């Protein structure tokens, strides 16, 4: 498959690098990227030559979240279309979460909204010490719905509630405390820190790694079709609400929404 919004490179060890490739948009997830992320996860998962996957972003940012143009399109869509688009996002996240390979996140710049979700589906996420993160959806009258199960699984409810509703931005050091990042390192040592996470897997039996990952997910918080359907319903309900209409319109008009103080 040819990808318009992603790059995939693999070295001779079987380490594949999956790069979000919309640097001019800070790798915000468009409808096209969402579809391609699911396809890429499925392809990498089925490729027996792939031992480890590194997820990163081109340019200055890891991922700025959902593309606002994509979200604005949902405002004008009918309920059926909104549900279909929300399901595509949920399926992309679940495809990455269930990838039968180790998934190592390499984060730089910013990771907002859906970018935090992508970090949360990684088995290990390493970020630059200058990284800024935030679950910014409520500023737009939305909620972190489809990413919610993965964020809660990564942070736990108590930690998640510190940042899940407030849209507060936080740095890499706090992200480590919250459990989103395993480490925060300098830009000069980021690649070495990621390589240190990759290397041990190259000495492990690939099928055993896959089975161990599946077992860990089975023993962890439940993220099944019922949970995913619930998050889709919550997101669609927000898209249909007046707050989202007002919040996204205010953003595009460079104005404050009515609730901002």
């Amino acid at each position: 498959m040819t990808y318009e919004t992603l790059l995939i490179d693999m070295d001779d060890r079987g380490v594949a690098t999956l790069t979000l490739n919309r640097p001019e948009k800070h790798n915000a997830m468009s409808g096209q990227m969402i579809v391609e992320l699911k396809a890429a996860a499925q392809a990498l998962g089925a490729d027996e030559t792939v031992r480890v996957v590194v997820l990163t972003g081109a340019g200055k940012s890891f991922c700025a979240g959902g593309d606002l143009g994509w979200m604005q399109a949902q405002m004008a869509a009918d309920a059926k279309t909104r549900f279909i688009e929300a399901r595509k996002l949920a399926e992309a996240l679940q495809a990455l979460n269930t990838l039968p390979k180790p998934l190592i996140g390499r984060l730089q710049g910013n990771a907002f909204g859906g970018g935090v979700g992508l970090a949360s589906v990684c088995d290990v996420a390493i970020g630059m010490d200058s990284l800024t993160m935030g679950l910014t959806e409520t500023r737009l009258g939305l909620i972190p719905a489809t990413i919610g199960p993965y964020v809660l699984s990564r942070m736990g409810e108590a930690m998640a509630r510190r940042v899940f509703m407030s849209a507060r931005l936080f740095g890499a050091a706090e992200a480590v405390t919250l459990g989103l990042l395993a480490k925060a390192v300098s830009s000069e040592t980021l690649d070495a820190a990621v390589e240190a996470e990759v290397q041990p897997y190259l000495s492990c039996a690939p099928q055993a790694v896959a089975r161990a990952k599946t077992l860990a997910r089975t023993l962890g918080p439940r993220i099944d079709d019922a949970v995913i359907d619930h998050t889709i319903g919550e997101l669609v309900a927000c898209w249909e609400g007046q707050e989202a209409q007002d919040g996204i319109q205010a953003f595009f008009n460079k104005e404050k929404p009515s609730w901002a103080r």
Side-chain angles (χ1 to χ4, degrees), residues 7-11 15-19:
L7 297 173
I8 300 179
D9 297 300
M10 188 163 69
D11 66 21
V15 178
T17 301
L18 174 59
T19 304

Side-chain angles (χ1 to χ4, degrees), residues 105-253:
R106 178 193 180 278
L107 281 67
Q108 82 284 7
N110 299 320
F112 300 142
V116 178
L118 290 176
S120 297
V121 299
C122 293
D123 299 302
V124 178
I126 309 295
M128 283 187 188
D129 52 16
S130 57
L131 180 70
T132 301
M133 304 184 80
L135 292 153
T136 52
E137 288 87 348
T138 53
R139 290 184 184 176
L140 297 172
L142 297 169
I143 59 174
T146 49
I147 67 172
Y150 310 105
V151 173
L152 268 290
S153 178
R154 178 52 55 98
M155 288 199 270
E157 182 183 350
M159 288 292 189
R161 285 170 67 168
R162 294 184 182 186
V163 294
F164 199 72
M165 302 87 74
S166 68
R168 177 175 65 82
L169 303 185
F170 51 92
E174 186 172 0
V176 172
T177 300
L178 291 169
L180 281 170
L181 297 180
K183 295 177 183 177
V185 300
S186 68
S187 59
E188 294 80 10
T189 59
L190 178 62
D191 289 333
V194 170
E195 176 62 23
E197 297 296 335
V198 168
Q199 189 64 42
Y201 286 110
L202 303 180
S203 300
C204 297
Q207 292 184 21
V209 169
R211 290 180 70 90
K213 181 171 178 176
T214 299
L215 179 62
R217 291 198 334 269
T218 301
L219 297 174
R222 178 175 59 91
I223 305 176
D224 58 14
D225 288 344
V227 170
I228 291 170
D229 285 345
H230 179 67
T231 67
I232 292 170
E234 288 295 308
L235 180 57
V236 170
C238 281
W239 278 343
E240 293 178 347
Q242 191 61 47
E243 283 189 340
Q245 298 277 354
D246 294 346
I248 291 176
Q249 190 61 47
F251 179 88
F252 278 100
N253 291 341

Side-chain angles (χ1 to χ4, degrees), residues 1-100:
M1 178 177 176
T2 301
Y3 302 101
E4 296 180 10
T5 66
L6 306 174
L7 297 173
I8 300 179
D9 297 300
M10 188 163 69
D11 66 21
D12 57 9
R13 303 174 301 167
V15 178
T17 301
L18 174 59
T19 304
L20 310 178
N21 192 34
R22 299 183 76 215
E24 73 287 355
K25 298 291 186 181
H26 294 274
N27 299 315
M29 288 188 287
S30 63
Q32 183 70 24
M33 181 182 281
I34 289 166
V35 170
E36 291 183 1
L37 276 171
K38 178 184 176 182
Q42 291 174 332
L44 291 167
D47 188 340
E48 294 184 358
T49 66
V50 175
R51 300 287 298 273
V52 183
V53 179
V54 176
L55 177 63
T56 191
K60 295 180 179 180
S61 296
F62 173 66
C63 178
D67 181 83
L68 283 165
W70 176 77
M71 285 191 278
Q72 190 177 42
Q74 308 321 309
M75 299 298 99
D78 58 29
K80 181 179 179 181
T81 300
R82 289 169 176 164
F83 193 89
I84 290 170
E85 291 301 307
R87 179 167 290 283
K88 288 178 183 178
L89 176 56
E91 288 178 351
L93 291 166
Q94 185 69 325
L96 289 165
N97 189 54
T98 58
L99 182 73

